[in-house]
Amino acid sequence: MNFAFGDWYPALAPDFNSLPEKFRKEIDRKISENKTYPGRALKREIEGSIGLILLINEGGGLVKAEIGRSSGSEILDKAALALVEKIFPLFNAGEFPGVPNPGNPESPENTGEKVLPRNYFFYLTVKYEL
């Protein structure tokens, strides 16, 4: 898939906090379990926040990740991209929160939870602080 997000992300990409709570908690958990400070950045005492735009498919897999706002450090930017590539997919197919699965009584359309589109994108900030 050749998909470019471009410079329009701040206006169109939903913020991470607008996603269903189960989804946010799982991303937060996987980020905290998998994030490591890049050695070269640590040695140079480089800190920063990276704004990522993520496109996720209905199975919870990462289709595309792109830097929407650089930290100013190529080391941290690459580490953030590698991190999100590592943590997806978040769930097994059919267990992804927000994706309709009519056969499952806990599926969003059966519980009244927010239903996410089949392919959707959102804005996520990854911070590296000493």
Side-chain angles (χ1 to χ4, degrees):
M1 173 184 254
N2 188 7
F3 184 85
F5 292 112
D7 294 330
W8 45 264
Y9 75 90
L12 297 179
D15 182 68
F16 175 70
N17 291 323
S18 69
L19 298 171
E21 183 179 3
K22 286 192 287 188
F23 184 86
R24 291 191 319 265
K25 284 183 177 182
E26 187 64 9
I27 290 177
D28 284 340
R29 183 185 71 76
K30 285 203 168 189
I31 285 176
S32 65
E33 287 177 359
N34 291 281
K35 185 169 77 171
T36 56
Y37 218 102
R40 291 182 3 217
L42 191 58
K43 192 179 287 189
R44 297 176 188 169
E45 298 183 354
I46 300 171
E47 295 182 310
S49 294
I50 303 92
L52 299 173
I53 306 167
L54 307 179
L55 178 64
I56 309 301
N57 66 24
E58 66 185 44
L62 181 66
V63 175
K64 182 164 179 72
E66 189 173 289
I67 295 172
R69 187 188 72 245
S70 173
S71 66
S73 165
E74 186 176 348
I75 298 167
L76 295 182
D77 292 352
K78 285 182 178 180
L81 284 172
L83 172 64
V84 295
E85 288 171 2
K86 182 177 181 179
I87 68 171
F88 285 92
L90 293 176
F91 301 92
N92 295 323
E95 296 176 358
F96 200 55
V99 176
N101 183 357
N104 180 352
E106 295 181 18
S107 183
E109 73 274 15
N110 296 326
T111 63
E113 288 182 63
K114 180 178 179 180
V115 176
L116 299 172
R118 290 189 177 271
N119 288 307
Y120 57 98
F121 67 102
F122 63 94
Y123 188 79
L124 174 70
T125 300
V126 176
K127 295 180 181 181
Y128 289 92
E129 299 173 316
L130 296 173

